[in-house]
Amino acid sequence: MYCLHFEDFDIDVNNLLNDLVVDELGSLEEFGLLSVTEAPRQTLSIPEVGTDTTVIDVGETVEGVTVVNDVAEIHGEGRPVARLEYPQAVAFHTGSGVIMLDKEVWFSEMIVIKRGGSVGELLYDESVNWEDDLEEDSTTHFEFRTEAQVL
């Protein structure tokens, strides 16, 4: 979990594993689901982590925020059987570039902090995990895309 402190408010960023239905049969798969919530202004305390906390002072103004969602449509025997939409990253735009909290691969609980010039340059390419494998299952086809929503 990350707690981000801004001038007038705080937010918590979490990435917890949750079961999602992934096909028409009700099969479940664990996905890391990224969430961002407003937090009360207080000192972060997580007993299982201990008292050491890493503090990074960015010292820049956030000029914009982008939420990145991944969308995977699953087709079985030529027809749509499931559509999964899940949050992939949150990007904070500053005067010097982008600071991104990216969960990378869909089944991970880890959040990676990245800094660079653009969202596209920093974003993990999740599409490689949704490629068709005709040798394993010739009846299933995946269509994958990434959608960015500027807030």
Side-chain angles (χ1 to χ4, degrees):
M1 172 169 74
Y2 290 94
C3 185
L4 306 179
H5 300 280
F6 294 90
E7 190 171 298
D8 296 327
F9 65 95
D10 295 344
I11 59 174
D12 286 336
V13 180
N14 286 297
N15 187 39
L16 302 173
L17 290 177
N18 288 284
D19 286 334
L20 291 182
V21 176
V22 295
D23 62 20
E24 75 279 16
L25 303 174
S27 301
L28 297 176
E29 188 72 48
E30 272 193 332
F31 276 73
L33 296 181
L34 193 65
S35 67
V36 178
T37 56
E38 190 170 353
R41 239 167 138 74
Q42 62 187 19
T43 303
L44 181 63
S45 173
I46 305 173
E48 62 271 13
V49 174
T51 58
D52 293 333
T53 301
T54 301
V55 176
I56 301 170
D57 185 2
V58 175
E60 295 186 67
T61 300
V62 174
E63 299 171 355
V65 177
T66 300
V67 176
V68 180
N69 289 318
D70 286 336
V71 179
E73 294 176 350
I74 304 161
H75 300 264
E77 298 183 8
R79 62 183 180 81
V81 294
R83 181 180 190 276
L84 302 172
E85 182 174 343
Y86 53 94
Q88 178 66 29
V90 178
F92 299 94
H93 303 271
T94 69
S96 65
V98 175
I99 300 168
M100 180 182 287
L101 303 178
D102 186 356
K103 69 176 199 154
E104 296 199 335
V105 69
W106 58 271
F107 54 81
S108 176
E109 284 186 293
M110 299 296 294
I111 298 174
V112 179
I113 301 174
K114 302 174 181 180
R115 189 170 198 144
S118 70
V119 170
E121 157 193 330
L122 298 174
L123 190 64
Y124 175 77
D125 182 7
E126 179 73 1
S127 67
V128 298
N129 296 308
W130 293 97
E131 293 178 349
D132 295 343
D133 185 351
L134 299 177
E135 289 181 18
E136 184 178 317
D137 182 357
S138 62
T139 64
T140 301
H141 167 68
F142 299 105
E143 292 179 13
F144 180 86
R145 69 180 176 281
T146 299
E147 298 176 347
Q149 180 179 10
V150 179
L151 303 179

